[in-house]
Amino acid sequence: MIVGYGTRSEEAVIEVVRPDVEETFTDSPDLPELDDGRRAVGHFSPGAVLPVAVTIGLSLLLYGLWLMEGEIIYNFIAYVLLFLGVIVAWFSNR
């Protein structure tokens, strides 16, 4: 234990005594079935991957055009497209 601004120090042993707790278990609530129309976590569907693949493909094409031609508008459009893709992916999981 340091007291003050380090001018004096003491050593102490601190023992934590925890009370005995009786474990009680209850029945778990009924969980909904996975086939209730909602998507399960980790569920893979080609329809969900296709928009992401198209967005990445178009952005790579625009970045390639920007590197080849030097027109800044290609870089701007690719950036906006990727940003909108992230927003759409974020809200599609809700």
Side-chain angles (χ1 to χ4, degrees):
M1 219 176 351
I2 297 176
V3 180
Y5 291 102
T7 57
R8 181 176 169 194
S9 63
E10 294 285 329
E11 289 186 18
V13 177
I14 299 173
E15 293 183 24
V16 178
V17 180
R18 297 180 188 253
D20 292 336
V21 178
E22 182 180 324
E23 293 184 15
T24 58
F25 296 101
T26 60
D27 292 335
S28 63
D30 292 334
L31 299 176
E33 295 293 327
L34 290 179
D35 296 334
D36 62 353
R38 294 183 291 178
R39 289 191 324 194
V41 175
H43 185 261
F44 177 78
S45 68
V49 175
L50 185 63
V52 173
V54 169
T55 303
I56 292 172
L58 284 175
S59 296
L60 288 175
L61 176 69
L62 288 169
Y63 274 126
L65 286 173
W66 171 62
L67 290 173
M68 289 174 25
E69 296 185 14
E71 294 289 328
I72 195 70
I73 191 69
Y74 294 130
N75 187 12
F76 179 74
I77 293 172
Y79 179 80
V80 169
L81 187 64
L82 285 173
F83 188 72
L84 289 176
V86 168
I87 292 173
V88 168
W90 177 270
F91 284 112
S92 69
N93 287 332
R94 291 179 175 238

